Amino acid sequence: MAEDLQLKLIFVYEEHLQDLDINSSTTVKELKRIVKEQHWPANSVIDAEKLDRVRLFAGGRELGKTPADDSKSVNDAKIVVPGQEGCRAPVHVMGVIKKDGEATSERDVTEKSQGCVCVLL
């Protein structure tokens, strides 16, 4: 029986955190789609329309780095959940910008960010 997994989405270049509860049987690819379409910050330095893809990092490694990994469930990806009750598993979210002429360069995004948004857990 699949259970819910509680995530804390930490967006790169943003001072924005979001909580997300998903079923542990959800694939990594589906999780990326949900983040991009439903949870991308409205006032982000990277517009959602300019995103090529979303990269997710948890426990010091990238989730869905290869197409085979993308098809795994988040349960199979072995996201580390803190042992304390009420704590959420931290997942860092990074948008990859489309490579067309209209997209903002990563350098422009870095210049727009407002200082360090590191989170120590």
Side-chain angles (χ1 to χ4, degrees):
M1 183 170 114
E3 58 186 52
D4 280 346
L5 184 63
Q6 297 178 323
L7 305 177
K8 173 72 75 178
L9 301 177
I10 304 166
F11 292 85
V12 176
Y13 307 122
E14 306 289 334
E15 294 179 16
H16 188 80
L17 304 174
Q18 282 193 36
D19 292 342
L20 174 62
D21 295 338
I22 59 164
N23 192 289
S24 62
S25 64
T26 303
T27 65
V28 173
K29 183 176 183 174
E30 181 69 9
L31 173 59
K32 290 178 180 181
R33 186 195 62 75
I34 291 168
V35 169
K36 182 178 178 180
E37 294 177 2
Q38 300 173 17
H39 292 276
W40 196 258
N43 297 322
S44 175
V45 294
I46 302 174
D47 294 329
E49 309 85 54
K50 293 183 179 180
L51 288 177
D52 181 39
R53 61 190 171 97
V54 172
R55 295 177 72 190
L56 303 175
F57 299 88
R61 57 191 169 80
E62 184 171 358
L63 305 176
K65 190 173 183 177
T66 66
D69 290 340
D70 256 350
S71 64
K72 290 182 180 178
S73 71
V74 292
N75 189 49
D76 292 339
K78 298 182 180 165
I79 296 174
V80 178
V81 180
Q84 298 175 345
E85 190 171 327
C87 288
R88 293 177 168 273
V91 176
H92 290 81
V93 181
M94 178 182 169
V96 177
I97 301 168
K98 292 179 183 175
K99 293 185 180 182
D100 63 18
E102 297 178 14
T104 307
S105 71
E106 190 159 334
R107 180 176 169 209
D108 292 340
V109 170
T110 304
E111 290 173 2
K112 289 181 187 178
S113 67
Q114 300 174 350
C116 179
V117 292
C118 301
V119 176
L120 300 175
L121 302 173

